[in-house]
Structures are given as structure tokens and as C-alpha cells.
Amino acid sequence: MKPSQILLPSAFYFLAFFSSCNAAIYDDVAALKHKYDFIIVGGGTAGNVVANRLTENPKFNVLVIEAGPSHVGVLSSEVPFFAANNWFTAFDWNYTTTPQVGLGGRSAILPRGHILGGSSSINFLMYTRSTVDDYDRIANKTGDNGWSWKSLQPYFRKNEKFVRPADKHNNTGQFDPKVHGSNGSLSVSIQNFPTPIDSKVINASHQLGGDFNFVLDYNDGLPLGLGWLQTTVDGPTGSRSSSATAYLTPEFLKRPNLDILVNAQVSRLLQTQEGKPLSFLTVEFKHGLSSKLGRITASREVIMSAGSLGTPHILLNSGIGDSQALGRIGIKPLVDLPDVGANLCDHSAIANPFVALSNNTFENIREPNVTAQLLQQWNKTKTGPLTDTVASLISFHRVAGDDLPNPDPAAGPNTPHFEHLYANGLIVPNNFVPPGQHVFSVATALVSPSSRGSLTINSTNPFDPPLIDPALLKEESDRKMMRAALRHAFKFVTAPAFAGYVISPAGDLPNATIATDAELDTYMNAEAGTFFHPTGTAAMSPKGANYGVVDPDLKVKNITGLRVVDASIFPDIPSGHTQAAVYVIAERAADIIKESYSK
């Protein structure tokens, strides 16, 4: 069987399939097998991990259905610095939130990967595992100690392959080798290209001390302090490492029991068994531009890995959710699970640019002629500024005193409330900063928020977009913590290391050291957005609980043959960038599934 090629915009180079393998990435429904044991909905961060691990057993036939195109040859995905170039393209779902009360009524963009590899193919590549407390809270809330930090350590190492940086510099003292895996699938590296602000940030850390103290490796589960950012960049090739490049390599695509269908958007799951409990083993989908809906049925399980937005969207359209709400919009309710789509949480963030006395920032790199030269370097040697993401260093912090909410939304005393990312320029475009203005950014994110929102639908058309309300900065306790975090960022740039370099706030950024709460609120309303980490919409709860969506084994409650494996299962949002947590969830989930069929 030969898969047909996928046509992508001519702006990107595209290689349809790996010529060295029996291609398993199809853009032709007719090329698929007639029977699969497992159907995985979503070839994203988690879905490709599960597909890889399940097909280690040659008796399991697995199909992955991905709504977007293949990742192969997509330059904006391959080149780390081009991450934001994927926004508003065919590789992005192009979601927008509902108007946010906490943003003064504004909506926010919410890029999500519409491409094989999902958001791991378009994100900013940051690898932060979160904290011991985060995972131990999951274990305590679900009653399954297998989700604890200690229990998950083998899976972190199974996933990770720590590699040398692209520039081959000596990274001794920038990370702790004991914390990392070296034989896993996903490449992780550190500072692939130096920036002029790196030494200034490190010096400021030493000068200020306190909670800015240097931490050797935040991925040891105790991240408070400032350290070098680790990213999912494969240093030797200077390219992005995603779930697609790591878990769907030619070696794995040779497996005759693994098929992947791209450009196929799942609309619903269809009931396949009457009585109690129900089963939903048939997947309905639309392929390409065709208006005709196809169906394919799994013999063992359907595994939802469509992400925190896609998974609840599909479940709700399938009649799985709040029965009263579904009935009101004309969808026949089949399984009453009111928490489907509830508990949506995300990390609110603000870019915080400062005018820098420099002519060597990211603003140079973004000049078209400079970008072209650097791309030539990347193509030739896989080195240079394009091998890195938008920051080199990161820090994690807690609020204290009157700024600390009661109850504390953080998972424990070693879990941060907010983070700073230190960038040699604008992280994303900012309408308030003049084009070409050289800046230094201390981007701030609230990583242990109290606010909770929801994903709902208001249409019976499964291809209409969902209503996404992450409730960014909705709770006053979150706004109070963000004010404290902004003042903390301003404190950092007062360090002697920035004397004569940081000139003033840029754009509409107020001077937070003297700004009133009202002025900071005005700034948040105008500038805050999200770090693009939606979680929690199909949350885990103890087995037998009458709340939540999935049990600790990730089976959907009151349904047979249906699991969820993606960021939607987190009861609480992890305090780090979520891709590392999703990878480890998927690694353990694959073992749980395999074990359930080994008896």
C-alpha cells in the first residue's frame, strides 16, 4: 500500500514520507487496514507516545487519527526559533478564548498544534517537569501512588535523552546529569546558542540572592530559584524534538502494526454497545476536504489524546458530558459526566519588555535579510541563533505575606506561584512596542492559579469551534499574585548587572516598583494572555468517585473501552510548562494499558 502525498502551503519545504521505511503515515483512508485493536484520537504529544509503546507488542494493531498534516518537512516546526511562525497557519487550530473578565473583556489567542506531533510540534520547546509536590498531589487526589513523583521517575528517564548543545559548549555547571535520562526518545538540551543577556542574568542572580539564588537544575523537582532553561532541541541537529520526531522515526514507522492517518478530524465517538456500561468504540471522522464522514471501529479501546481542548470537545459532541447542558443544545445525552469540559485551567502570562541599550537582540534576528542568512547557516551547519527558543534562563518563585492566598493554590511549599522567563528581545509581537525597538524581556506567568474555567459547546455541528473560557486572572487572588509577580520582575532589573543596559519600561509597561494596584490592573487588562498550557477538562479522580471524568487508570467513568491520555486528565494544573508532564503521563499510561491486556 502506498500513501498519497499531502499538499502543504508552498512556503514550506515538504517531504511526504520517509523513503527508507514502509510508510505508515497515510493521507488516504482506503490505504488503512480494516481492523485495529486500538484507535488513538490525536497524534499529539501524548498520542504518539502511546502509539509507539503499544506497537512494541506485535499483536496490537494501532491506528492514530490526526486532524492536521504530517510534520515532515515543515520548516517552521523544525527550526526552534521559528516556533511562533506556526501561529495562524494550517499547523495551528487558531483558537481564541471567549471574552475574559480578568482581561478587561478581551479575548486571547490560544495556539494549539494542528499537525502530527500536536503542540509539541509548534510550542516554545520548554522542558520543565514541574515539582515533587505537583505529582504527589495527583497521587493523593486520585488514590494512586503510581502518579507520585518518585513512582514516575523511571518514566521521565524512559522519555528523555539529554544531549549536547548545538554549539558544543561545555555545559558543566548548567544542569545536573544525575537528574536526567540519556537513552530515551525525546532530545533535551541546554542553551544551544548564547545570547548577550545570559551573563547579566546570572550576575543579577548572584547580586540579588534570596529567591533569585541560582539553582543548578530545576528539573530535580525542587525548582525555586533561577537556572538555565532546558528545551526539547536535539542539539546535534539543531532541530526541534517533538513527539513526532522522537516517537515516529523511520525505525518505528517500519512496524507493520502502526498506521497513522493525517488530515482527518474526528467529529464524534459512536455508541457500539447497549446496556450498562456503554461502549464507544466507533470513531467518526471527516478526511481532508471531503464532506463525507467515515467510520472505523476499534476491537479493544479508543484512546482520546486530542488535548485539553479537543478531547472534551469530541466527548461532548458524542453525548458524553453534562446531560442537561447537552439536551438544551439538542445533543442526545448518553453518559452523564458533568465534569467533561469543566475545570479548565491555564497559566496567565505577561511579556514585560524593557528598553535595552543594545543593538544585538532578537529584533536583529527578525530582520528579513538577517533571518535569511541565519537560515542558510542553520541549513548548512545546524548551528546559530535559530537553534534555540526565545529564552535562555528561567526562574520560579513563591509569593508571601498578604499576597499568599488562603487556601494556597500551589501543590506544596516547594511549588512556585509564578515564573519569569529572561529573553534577549520580544518573546512575541507587542503592539505597544515600536517595531525594531531593542528590548530585554522578563516574561511573567502565574503557574499556580486558583481560577478555573470551562470548555463548552453551543452547536450540534461537531466541526464548529468550542467555547473556550480559561478564566484567566478571573479570581482576585490570582490578580493579587500577578501584581506581586510584576513587582518582583521589576526588582530583578534593578540589579547592578543591568545598570546602563535596561533603560526603562517599554510600551505600556508601567514602572511596577512605584505603580499602584489600579495601574497594574490596567496593564494586566491590556497585556495579559496565556502561556498556552490548557489542562484539566477530563480530570482524574479516585476510582468510583462521582466526580471527575477518568479513573486513575485513565478509563472514562461509566464507559468501557474508552480512555483519555493527554493534559486534560490533570486534576490541577502542573506548575511548569506542561509538555514534560504530558510525556510522562503518556509513558505510564502506555504501561497501564499494556498491563491490562497481559493478564
Side-chain angles (χ1 to χ4, degrees):
M1 296 182 293
K2 292 185 178 180
S4 58
Q5 290 190 341
I6 307 166
L7 299 178
L8 293 181
S10 58
F12 300 100
Y13 300 105
F14 184 74
L15 174 64
F17 300 102
F18 297 106
S19 60
S20 61
C21 68
N22 299 322
I25 302 178
Y26 298 110
D27 195 19
D28 182 359
V29 177
L32 300 179
K33 301 180 182 68
H34 295 294
K35 293 183 179 179
Y36 292 94
D37 298 289
F38 300 92
I39 297 176
I40 299 172
V41 178
T45 308
N48 294 334
V49 177
V50 177
N52 178 298
R53 299 306 186 193
L54 290 184
T55 53
E56 290 173 342
N57 184 340
K59 295 181 180 179
F60 291 160
N61 284 314
V62 175
L63 171 66
V64 177
I65 302 179
E66 166 55 38
S70 172
H71 66 294
V72 180
V74 178
L75 191 67
S76 58
S77 178
E78 292 177 10
V79 179
F81 193 80
F82 287 173
N85 293 5
N86 295 289
W87 298 1
F88 313 116
T89 71
F91 312 119
D92 177 10
W93 280 94
N94 295 300
Y95 287 128
T96 302
T97 71
T98 59
Q100 297 292 286
V101 172
L103 304 185
R106 285 188 301 112
S107 297
I109 63 168
L110 193 53
R112 310 308 298 151
H114 182 258
I115 182 174
L116 199 56
S119 294
S120 76
S121 288
I122 73 164
N123 65 17
F124 281 115
L125 303 99
M126 296 175 194
Y127 182 80
T128 60
R129 293 177 179 172
S130 302
T131 70
V132 174
D133 300 331
D134 282 319
Y135 294 95
D136 288 353
R137 177 166 65 177
I138 296 173
N140 291 333
K141 282 196 169 186
T142 62
D144 182 349
N145 195 57
W147 295 117
S148 70
W149 172 266
K150 183 176 180 180
S151 297
L152 289 172
Q153 288 309 297
Y155 294 108
F156 279 117
R157 285 160 175 76
K158 186 177 184 180
N159 164 248
E160 184 190 26
K161 177 177 61 179
F162 206 91
V163 298
R164 66 162 176 79
D167 66 358
K168 302 180 183 179
H169 78 272
N170 183 351
N171 55 17
T172 301
Q174 293 184 319
F175 77 110
D176 183 355
K178 297 191 299 296
V179 171
H180 296 278
S182 57
N183 297 307
S185 301
L186 182 76
S187 292
V188 176
S189 58
I190 200 162
Q191 196 204 17
N192 285 279
F193 188 83
T195 71
I197 57 108
D198 296 342
S199 61
K200 297 180 188 299
V201 173
I202 292 294
N203 288 339
S205 167
H206 296 316
Q207 291 165 350
L208 294 173
D211 69 344
F212 287 108
N213 273 338
F214 181 75
V215 58
L216 177 60
D217 198 318
Y218 58 77
N219 276 324
D220 66 357
L222 302 170
L224 298 178
L226 183 149
W228 292 96
L229 180 65
Q230 298 168 23
T231 58
T232 49
V233 174
D234 182 56
T237 64
S239 303
R240 174 188 295 272
S241 185
S242 68
S243 75
T245 66
Y247 287 87
L248 300 179
T249 62
E251 170 191 358
F252 304 126
L253 291 177
K254 288 179 181 178
R255 293 174 180 168
N257 56 336
L258 172 60
D259 288 345
I260 298 156
L261 178 65
V262 294
N263 295 312
Q265 183 177 350
V266 170
S267 50
R268 297 182 298 165
L269 308 180
L270 303 179
Q271 183 180 341
T272 50
Q273 176 179 304
E274 300 287 345
K276 300 291 184 179
L278 299 179
S279 67
F280 291 78
L281 294 173
T282 296
V283 178
E284 179 186 83
F285 62 93
K286 180 178 71 172
H287 181 251
L289 299 177
S290 172
S291 60
K292 182 180 179 181
L293 295 177
R295 295 179 179 181
I296 193 162
T297 301
S299 62
R300 295 181 186 262
E301 292 188 17
V302 170
I303 300 166
M304 295 299 303
S305 294
S308 291
L309 307 181
T311 286
H313 188 205
I314 294 168
L315 292 178
L316 292 171
N317 279 298
S318 305
I320 303 168
D322 186 317
S323 292
Q324 293 185 351
L326 291 172
R328 283 195 295 269
I329 61 174
I331 292 178
K332 180 182 178 181
L334 297 174
V335 179
D336 186 30
L337 285 177
D339 287 336
V340 171
N343 193 48
L344 176 59
C345 191
D346 204 343
H347 293 149
S348 303
I350 308 182
N352 302 332
F354 297 84
V355 176
L357 187 61
S358 172
N359 59 4
N360 186 13
T361 67
F362 292 159
E363 281 59 59
N364 295 78
I365 296 174
R366 292 174 176 133
E367 290 290 333
N369 62 321
V370 178
T371 303
Q373 293 171 5
L374 293 174
L375 183 57
Q376 286 183 344
Q377 178 185 355
W378 183 86
N379 277 318
K380 185 176 180 179
T381 67
K382 296 297 188 285
T383 62
L386 302 187
T387 62
D388 228 336
T389 186
V390 291
S392 298
L393 292 123
I394 189 171
S395 62
F396 295 95
H397 310 274
R398 288 179 59 81
V399 299
D402 292 341
D403 296 316
L404 181 64
N406 185 18
D408 185 352
N414 294 306
T415 295
H417 295 111
F418 63 94
E419 77 167 57
H420 298 314
L421 278 172
Y422 304 94
N424 186 42
L426 285 176
I427 290 180
V428 295
N430 186 314
N431 292 332
F432 294 94
V433 177
Q437 173 68 64
H438 292 285
V439 304
F440 165 62
S441 295
V442 185
T444 298
L446 197 64
V447 297
S448 292
S450 297
S451 301
R452 295 292 184 273
S454 64
L455 181 143
T456 57
I457 57 176
N458 63 353
S459 166
T460 57
N461 182 350
F463 300 109
D464 284 346
L467 303 177
I468 304 166
D469 176 15
L472 300 171
L473 296 173
K474 182 177 182 180
E475 298 293 336
E476 176 57 28
S477 59
D478 286 351
R479 299 182 71 80
K480 193 171 186 178
M481 286 195 292
M482 184 61 92
R483 293 183 205 115
L486 292 172
R487 292 185 169 114
H488 192 264
F490 269 73
K491 175 184 176 182
F492 186 75
V493 299
T494 64
F498 294 107
Y501 185 81
V502 170
I503 307 303
S504 65
D508 63 338
L509 177 64
N511 188 334
T513 55
I514 59 174
T516 65
D517 285 358
E519 289 171 327
L520 292 180
D521 283 349
T522 298
Y523 173 60
M524 285 189 270
N525 289 346
E527 290 286 357
T530 160
F531 257 6
F532 322 127
H533 300 151
T535 64
T537 50
M540 273 195 288
S541 64
K543 187 173 179 62
N546 61 1
Y547 61 92
V549 177
V550 299
D551 288 334
D553 60 2
L554 307 183
K555 291 180 179 178
V556 178
K557 295 175 184 291
N558 305 324
I559 297 175
T560 61
L562 180 61
R563 290 187 212 243
V564 177
V565 184
D566 57 32
S568 65
I569 60 89
F570 290 113
D572 298 282
I573 190 168
S575 61
H577 297 245
T578 48
Q579 71 162 334
V582 172
Y583 277 120
V584 81
I585 290 289
E587 288 282 13
R588 184 180 182 229
D591 272 1
I592 290 173
I593 296 168
K594 288 193 286 188
E595 184 179 349
S596 69
Y597 292 97
S598 66
K599 301 172 183 177

